[in-house]
């Protein structure tokens, strides 16, 4: 009798079984009705986005102030969502880097889509979630995937929260979850999900929809803001919307046939690299070679296309400059380091800047117990990102969790134990990042840097290199060797750098 009463009490507090399912169905139906029940919708206006972990190419604002600041403008923005297909596509006019390290923006086209194949919930979640985090896509997914409903209070406001999971599972085997917050007027105000990212861990993706209004018979939000890992990522100011556009086939053309049996054209939506995090999958093993730069100092490389690292032996520990770009390369570099310098821990790993291709190896170094040395402007990003739970991942840090330790460099920091010295410098102002550092080894006369690549023979130096040279002149560093994280075909020297800028 007591157990039965307890069960009744639980079901009163949290609706059980069929009652719960029925409640979710009612909420979904009411929300679809409140939005006008379109089979498709298109909206337009202006937008802005940013490459994940970077700054946008913004012709009106070229100064990188921080992670995702500024963002890149997208004009003449149009998005269409076809619930029957299901599919979505958005386009616009934007600007891109001129290429080759030039900072002058050039006209470009924004284009992203989710094809019917990608929208299949048994396919990778990172490729389909851009469809399902829209209010219309979410409700379609909720109706087809046994959504549940619960009540929740957020910031003093009451919501019905609909929850469902796609069929595909995360690399860890855990189910993905997507939630929508429906207000008392049956309007979806917020949709959230999580996806595994090698830097951001269980990266929280949140889309908020505000300023809902009637656009000539169809309800649509006037403002859309998407964040990833708590950082700005994508925004839309909606100026117009219409339901069931008669030119739907033109707005969302069918995907092109696969080329050579591959996936349909279109590619994944923003930051589909969020699926990163495995130990290299089926990729071939990396072969590491080393170059001795001095006693206890080695450059590690995997050949053409490599992201090189330099390891430095101190009296009782090792410092690694850069973590190797990916988990696979980081693990290969850790193994090679232990062969070259056995019986000493890797205590530090220096990060030149926080762009995705320079941070991918850091989780493996955190799992190794290394403290990350980074410029002060990057500290908040790394502390938040690398200390996020990693329940969706199956990588080295997920299986060997450790709290990331961060050590900041403001303008200059010297690491020395009497036998070895490494100097770190913040290089600013430069167009690429506001958190860029170089390392200088005075005894070996080496400057180690990331992304200040010298041009091919006969080509002019790019804007990044041009910005670095006056900084090096001001620092008055006595160096001979110029080593880039991005592997160079041949050894490069100060003379090569000076020649590239016409000195």
């Amino acid at each position: 009798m007591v157990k039965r009463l307890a069960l009744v009490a639980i079901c009163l507090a949290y609706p059980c079984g069929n009652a719960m399912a029925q409640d979710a169905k009612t909420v979904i139906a009411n929300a679809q009705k409140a939005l006008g029940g379109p089979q498709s919708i298109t909206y337009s206006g202006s937008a802005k986005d940013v490459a994940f972990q970077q700054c946008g190419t913004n012709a009106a604002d070229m100064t990188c102030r921080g992670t995702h600041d500024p963002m890149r403008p997208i004009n003449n923005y149009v998005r269409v969502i076809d619930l029957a297909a299901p599919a979505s596509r958005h386009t616009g006019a934007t600007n891109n880097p001129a290429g080759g390290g030039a900072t002058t923006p050039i006209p470009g086209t924004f284009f992203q889509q989710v094809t019917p194949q990608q929208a299949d919930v048994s396919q990778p979640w990172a490729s389909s979630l851009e469809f399902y985090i829209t209010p219309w896509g979410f409700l379609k997914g909720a109706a087809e995937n046994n959504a549940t409903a619960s009540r929740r209070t957020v910031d003093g406001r009451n919501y019905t929260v609909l929850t469902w999971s796609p069929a595909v599972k995360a690399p860890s085997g855990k189910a993905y979850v997507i939630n929508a917050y429906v207000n008392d007027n049956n309007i979806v105000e917020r949709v959230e999900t999580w996806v595994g990212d090698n830097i951001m861990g269980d990266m929280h993706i949140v889309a908020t929809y505000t300023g809902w209004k009637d656009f000539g018979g169809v309800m649509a939000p006037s403002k859309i803001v998407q964040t990833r890992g708590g950082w700005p990522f994508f925004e839309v100011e909606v100026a117009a919307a219409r339901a069931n556009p008669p030119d739907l086939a033109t707005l969302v053309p069918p995907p092109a046939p696969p080329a050579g049996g591959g996936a349909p054209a279109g590619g994944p939506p923003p930051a589909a690299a969020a699926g990163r995090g495995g130990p290299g999958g089926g990729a071939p093993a990396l072969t590491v070679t080393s170059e001795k730069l001095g006693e206890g100092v080695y450059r590690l490389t995997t050949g053409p296309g490599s992201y090189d690292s330099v390891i430095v032996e101190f009296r009782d520990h090792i410092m690694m400059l850069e973590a190797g770009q990916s988990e696979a390369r980081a693990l290969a570099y850790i193994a090679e380091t232990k062969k070259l310098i056995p019986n000493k821990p890797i205590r530090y790993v220096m990060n030149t800047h926080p762009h995705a291709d320079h941070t991918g190896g850091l989780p493996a170094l955190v799992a190794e117990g290394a403290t990350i040395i980074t410029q002060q402007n990057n500290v908040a990003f790394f502390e938040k990102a690398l200390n996020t739970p990693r329940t969706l991942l199956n990588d080295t840090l997920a299986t060997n969790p450790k709290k990331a330790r961060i050590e900041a460099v403001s303008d200059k920091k010297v690491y020395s134990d009497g036998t070895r010295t490494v100097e770190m410098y913040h290089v600013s102002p430069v167009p690429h990042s506001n958190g860029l550092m170089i390392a200088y080894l005075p005894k070996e006369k080496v400057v180690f840097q990331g992304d200040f690549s010298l041009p091919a023979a006969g080509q002019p130096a790019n804007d990044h290199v041009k910005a670095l040279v006056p900084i090096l002149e001001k620092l008055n560093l006595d160096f001979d060797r110029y080593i880039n994280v991005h592997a160079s075909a041949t050894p490069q020297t100060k003379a090569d750098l000076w020649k590239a800028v016409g000195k």
Side-chain angles (χ1 to χ4, degrees), residues 452-471:
F452 295 102
S453 303
L454 295 188
Q459 297 298 313
N462 65 43
D463 294 343
H464 302 295
V465 174
K466 291 177 183 177
L468 176 64
V469 167
I471 296 171

Side-chain angles (χ1 to χ4, degrees), residues 258-487:
R276 301 184 308 259
L286 293 168
T287 300
V288 181
T289 58
S290 63
E291 175 193 1
K292 190 172 183 178
L293 303 174
E295 195 60 39
V297 181
Y298 301 88
R299 179 180 70 95
L300 306 182
T301 187
T302 58
S306 173
Y307 283 69
D308 291 353
S309 294
V310 169
I311 57 172
V312 182
E313 181 181 11
F314 286 78
R315 182 180 288 115
D316 60 357
H317 67 275
I318 300 165
M319 175 184 289
M320 181 179 286
L321 308 179
E322 279 279 306
Q325 177 257 349
S326 67
E327 182 186 34
R329 187 174 278 111
L331 292 173
Y333 285 175
I334 290 169
E336 184 69 13
T337 297
K338 291 179 178 180
K339 291 179 184 177
L340 292 169
I341 310 173
N343 304 317
K344 288 186 180 181
I346 303 173
R347 184 174 296 171
Y348 295 105
V349 57
M350 173 258 204
N351 168 252
T352 59
H353 61 297
H355 292 175
D357 59 330
H358 291 263
T359 59
L362 288 175
L365 271 298
V366 172
E368 188 69 18
T371 294
I372 298 169
I373 303 171
T374 191
Q375 207 280 322
Q376 178 67 49
N377 293 331
N378 310 323
V379 170
F381 174 75
F382 282 130
E383 285 186 339
K384 183 176 182 180
L386 287 167
N387 290 314
T388 300
R390 303 176 78 83
T391 66
L392 299 172
L393 294 163
N394 188 32
D395 64 0
T396 305
L397 187 55
T399 56
N400 182 27
K402 289 186 180 177
K403 180 177 175 60
R405 298 190 299 269
I406 316 293
E407 199 160 293
V409 175
S410 180
D411 294 320
K412 174 184 178 180
K413 195 162 191 173
V414 177
Y415 291 82
S416 181
D417 64 358
T419 65
R420 173 77 60 205
T421 298
V422 177
E423 300 175 6
M424 310 282 186
Y425 293 93
H426 180 208
V427 287
S428 177
V430 292
H432 197 53
S433 167
N434 75 329
L436 259 164
M437 291 201 310
I438 61 170
Y440 171 57
L441 284 65
K443 183 178 179 180
E444 290 74 23
K445 295 187 176 182
V446 168
V447 164
F448 179 79
Q449 47 74 32
D451 285 5
F452 295 102
S453 303
L454 295 188
Q459 297 298 313
N462 65 43
D463 294 343
H464 302 295
V465 174
K466 291 177 183 177
L468 176 64
V469 167
I471 296 171
L472 292 177
E473 289 181 313
K474 184 177 180 181
L475 292 173
N476 196 28
L477 303 180
D478 180 17
F479 69 99
D480 293 328
R481 188 73 179 271
Y482 182 74
I483 298 179
N484 194 359
V485 173
H486 298 270

Side-chain angles (χ1 to χ4, degrees), residues 206-279:
V206 181
T208 56
Y209 301 90
T210 57
W212 284 86
K213 62 181 183 178
D214 189 327
F215 286 91
V218 62
M219 292 293 292
S222 56
K223 176 88 171 181
I224 302 169
V225 175
Q226 185 186 141
T227 61
R228 296 199 172 201
W231 300 96
F233 185 73
F234 189 75
E235 296 183 14
V236 183
E237 298 279 353
V238 178
R242 57 192 173 114
N244 308 318
D247 53 347
L248 180 65
T250 303
L251 293 170
V252 187
R276 301 184 308 259

Side-chain angles (χ1 to χ4, degrees), residues 29 172 179:
S172 66
N179 300 319

Side-chain angles (χ1 to χ4, degrees), residues 152-159:
R152 195 176 304 178
T153 301
V154 180
D155 296 331
R157 300 187 61 193
N158 296 321
Y159 293 95

Side-chain angles (χ1 to χ4, degrees), residues 55-96:
C55 299
T57 303
N58 189 324
D61 187 359
M62 289 301 296
T63 302
C64 184
R65 292 185 296 272
T67 306
H68 299 191
D69 181 17
M71 298 176 76
R72 180 181 69 159
I74 303 169
N75 300 314
N76 303 318
Y77 173 82
V78 177
R79 182 163 194 180
V80 62
I81 298 166
D82 181 0
L83 297 172
S88 106
R89 175 188 181 192
H90 40 169
T91 62
T94 187
N95 45 239
N96 295 317

